[in-house]
Amino acid sequence: MPDNSNNLNTTLITGGAGFIGSNFIPFFLEKYSDTHVVNLDKLTYAGNLEHLKEIENNNRYTFLEGDICDADLITTIFEKHSIGSVIHFAAESHVDNSIASPDAFIQTNIHGTFTLLEGAKKYWLEAPNRPKKSFKAARFHHISTDEVYGSLGHEGYFTEETPYAPNSPYSASKAASDFLVRSYYHTYGLNVVTSNCSNNYGPKQHNEKLIPTIIRKALAGEKIPIYGDGKNIRDWLYVLDHCKGIDLVFNQGKTGETYAIGGDNEHNNLDIVRTICGILDELYPKKTGSYKEQIAFVEDRLGHDMRYAIDASKIKNKLGWQAETNFETGLRKTVLWYIEQSK
Ligand code: NAD
């Protein structure tokens, strides 16, 4: 029997114990008082329920531990919770891990996305292009990355029209999942949208990623490792600005379309490490010297993409989105959060 007898819209969020999901769920529950969230997460090394403490007792929130690749489980969840929409974050997400052991990326990112799409198709559609009456508005939002577009030189930007050219097992597996999502719209008429976002930063990100690594190593008095010459450029977006973009695409995006989300905020890795060290010198000074003295260059990542940058005109012009947090403010909030965690 469905358990949402109180007529709440029930959204299945996958990977909600990860970095972006655990920022998104509290924001989404707060914004929509008629929504119930079912968070399905396998709790890999990247999932952390501590980051969802603030909502764990919310009666519009249900946590389920499980794997998106488990087809029987997915069918049961759709039926038991009358799932009316999906926002799909779950993925293996760290490029370095995908270089060392790609298998889990192929499994979760490709097979897992396929399993969820099948679950949604079976539960929402009577037949191809014929949604069941009560699921006419049921939508599948796939969260993806700008890394599917490959690498840029010094000029130009990724847009929704940029041909896919993934370079790492991570980005290749995300590209494959994007194509599966696209195919379920074109073949079966499933109501899908996809958003491809640039690098996020903010509280709750796993220690393995660049900005948390810089802060953690700095605070521990260890060498702060920077790949290659530190000149690789990424377009950085504060995680809550991404969450607001996801909300807009999920609620107002056009079916079958994709939306690129980015912060017009390009920085190379060396700039970032120096800025963070400067913030730490001010907020949490060492007894002697600057954190900058800990910066150390290490051998470059294999196949390291040179530059990512997004032209976010479509989501800005069509959905009225814009990044609200400037980089300095966002970095300060992030550094403060990690200082608190380290105590
Ligand atoms: P994350 O690695 O922090 O979290 C991933 C979550 O998915 C974890 O909680 C993990 O336990 C869960 N998970 C992994 N495999 C699973 C499985 N088989 N079944 C169920 N749950 C599983 O990732 P993130 O940084 O929060 O990224 C979320 C999504 O956003 C990903 O799809 C990623 O590709 C995309 N994205 C991330 C960024 C970024 O900068 N972090 C940028 C653009 C897009």
Side-chain angles (χ1 to χ4, degrees):
M1 282 293 287
D3 75 349
N4 65 339
S5 45
N6 52 3
N7 285 328
L8 293 174
N9 303 312
T10 303
T11 300
L12 172 63
I13 292 188
T14 68
F19 166 43
I20 304 174
S22 62
N23 278 283
F24 183 78
I25 294 175
F27 156 83
F28 194 64
L29 282 172
E30 164 91 21
K31 183 156 183 196
Y32 300 103
S33 55
D34 61 345
T35 292
H36 189 121
V37 164
V38 173
N39 173 16
L40 172 65
D41 197 297
K42 189 178 170 184
L43 296 182
T44 67
Y45 77 96
N48 188 346
L49 290 181
E50 287 296 309
H51 294 163
L52 291 164
K53 277 263 173 238
E54 65 207 275
I55 47 120
E56 70 179 0
N57 295 321
N58 189 319
N59 58 12
R60 293 184 288 111
Y61 172 70
T62 305
F63 175 72
L64 302 174
E65 184 174 348
D67 191 333
I68 57 165
C69 301
D70 181 342
D72 291 340
L73 175 69
I74 298 301
T75 303
T76 307
I77 292 173
F78 270 91
E79 287 172 0
K80 180 164 180 234
H81 296 274
S82 297
I83 298 298
S85 52
V86 175
I87 306 180
H88 172 34
F89 292 91
E92 288 291 337
S93 71
H94 191 42
V95 176
D96 289 346
N97 293 347
S98 84
I99 294 167
S101 11
D103 308 38
F105 289 72
I106 306 307
Q107 190 58 20
T108 286
N109 300 0
I110 304 178
H111 192 71
T113 302
F114 161 70
T115 307
L116 282 168
L117 286 164
E118 271 295 293
K121 183 184 91 178
K122 277 194 238 153
Y123 189 62
W124 293 343
L125 304 187
E126 229 148 49
N129 300 302
R130 247 195 309 137
K132 293 176 189 165
K133 219 162 143 198
S134 42
F135 292 109
K136 279 201 173 1
R139 163 160 280 188
F140 189 111
H141 184 158
H142 177 55
I143 308 297
S144 194
T145 166
D146 62 350
E147 300 195 27
V148 297
Y149 300 121
S151 183
L152 290 165
H154 290 292
E155 310 253 307
Y157 295 90
F158 298 136
T159 73
E160 293 79 3
E161 311 304 323
T162 304
Y164 275 36
N167 290 323
S168 71
Y170 165 63
S171 53
S173 66
K174 291 297 289 187
S177 67
D178 291 9
F179 287 153
L180 281 169
V181 172
R182 176 189 158 92
S183 77
Y184 272 63
Y185 167 66
H186 285 278
T187 305
Y188 305 111
L190 199 71
N191 175 354
V192 306
V193 278
T194 295
S195 49
N196 295 84
C197 190
S198 61
N199 276 42
N200 285 214
Y201 70 99
K204 305 182 180 177
Q205 189 166 28
H206 193 277
N207 270 339
E208 68 190 353
K209 300 283 169 65
L210 178 70
I211 288 178
T213 298
I214 295 171
I215 303 169
R216 179 169 48 91
K217 295 280 185 184
L219 291 175
E222 295 170 13
K223 285 189 173 159
I224 306 170
I226 293 297
Y227 281 135
D229 59 5
K231 295 286 168 57
N232 302 67
I233 295 171
R234 300 292 180 261
D235 177 358
W236 291 91
L237 183 66
Y238 191 63
V239 62
L240 273 176
D241 282 327
H242 184 196
C243 294
K244 289 173 189 167
I246 292 169
D247 175 36
L248 280 171
V249 171
F250 175 66
N251 281 300
Q252 297 173 37
K254 206 164 159 207
T255 303
E257 297 212 349
T258 65
Y259 294 82
I261 311 180
D264 283 333
N265 182 38
E266 290 182 50
H267 294 276
N268 73 38
N269 292 348
L270 203 51
D271 284 345
I272 290 180
V273 72
R274 285 185 178 140
T275 308
I276 291 175
C277 288
I279 295 173
L280 279 170
D281 283 338
E282 189 195 319
L283 296 179
Y284 207 70
K286 301 211 281 191
K287 287 201 181 80
T288 53
S290 164
Y291 289 98
K292 288 180 188 142
E293 291 152 18
Q294 292 169 229
I295 298 171
F297 294 93
V298 298
E299 196 179 330
D300 209 353
R301 166 190 275 170
L302 292 171
H304 203 173
D305 287 338
M306 189 55 215
R307 174 173 167 257
Y308 306 145
I310 283 208
D311 173 352
S313 301
K314 180 175 174 184
I315 187 170
K316 286 181 186 166
N317 297 336
K318 303 268 183 202
L319 305 183
W321 176 85
Q322 64 176 46
E324 289 165 16
T325 309
N326 78 38
F327 197 46
E328 179 72 20
T329 315
L331 270 185
R332 271 174 186 274
K333 281 193 212 169
T334 308
V335 169
L336 278 170
W337 189 85
Y338 282 96
I339 290 175
E340 273 312 303
Q341 299 298 304
S342 72
K343 284 180 182 164

